[in-house]
Amino acid sequence: MPLSQQEIFNKVMTHLFAQGEPAKNKHDECAYRGLNGKQCAVGCLIPDELYNKKMEGMNVAGVFHRFPNVRDYLGEDNIFLLTALQDLHDSDEVFIGVWKSTEEMRKAARVIAEDYDLDASILDTLSFADR
């Protein structure tokens, strides 16, 4: 049974704050599995036995289409939340600057929590440890 949206949010936020930086490959591109054991917002939810290097470069929708076992594991109904969390990690045009500070990440994560009617209280307990 897939994780609930609240469980996904809490796990991803805990992971991202603990990691403190995005998962990047050797070309400085965001990656499900990056250098030095780093994992992206969605990558941290994919067990090693379901991960495939061919996922790299794909968005969540592409992974769900090409890897139905991952879709079943993460839950097809969670695709929009997972996409928002991937966008947060990747710091695209919507979430620029989230890696600059704990407060910037919290602010952006609260937007996602509000959009998906999730409890954002976990954010008050998390921070970038090395800053």
Side-chain angles (χ1 to χ4, degrees), residues 32-33 42-48 50-51 55 63 70 73-74:
Y32 290 96
R33 298 284 195 276
V42 176
C44 75
L45 299 170
I46 300 172
D48 290 341
L50 296 182
Y51 172 75
M55 294 174 183
V63 169
V70 174
Y73 180 79
L74 295 178

Side-chain angles (χ1 to χ4, degrees), residues 2-130:
L3 297 172
S4 71
Q5 289 193 337
Q6 187 67 58
E7 290 169 323
I8 288 171
F9 181 80
N10 290 354
K11 184 172 181 171
V12 169
M13 289 302 105
T14 300
H15 169 77
L16 293 182
F17 276 97
Q19 186 167 278
E21 62 183 331
K24 302 272 188 155
N25 64 21
K26 64 182 178 181
H27 304 292
D28 202 37
E29 301 162 329
C30 289
Y32 290 96
R33 298 284 195 276
L35 299 174
N36 302 317
K38 304 275 191 251
Q39 298 176 344
C40 78
V42 176
C44 75
L45 299 170
I46 300 172
D48 290 341
E49 62 271 12
L50 296 182
Y51 172 75
N52 186 309
K53 288 181 183 180
K54 293 178 182 175
M55 294 174 183
E56 299 301 343
M58 292 184 187
N59 61 21
V60 175
V63 169
F64 273 26
H65 176 74
R66 186 130 181 243
F67 300 93
N69 56 343
V70 174
R71 179 190 64 226
D72 294 344
Y73 180 79
L74 295 178
E76 189 168 11
D77 293 343
N78 294 324
I79 190 166
F80 296 112
L81 172 60
L82 293 167
T83 299
L85 293 169
Q86 187 173 54
D87 288 346
L88 174 69
H89 171 274
D90 294 357
S91 299
D92 71 356
E93 295 169 8
V94 178
F95 295 114
I96 290 174
V98 297
W99 294 105
K100 289 181 184 177
S101 71
T102 291
E103 281 312 309
E104 288 298 315
M105 181 63 85
R106 284 181 183 163
K107 181 179 166 185
R110 282 189 177 98
V111 169
I112 293 172
E114 186 175 309
D115 287 349
Y116 290 89
D117 198 27
L118 301 172
D119 177 3
S121 62
I122 191 170
L123 298 172
D124 297 328
T125 68
L126 301 171
S127 64
F128 293 139
D130 60 345

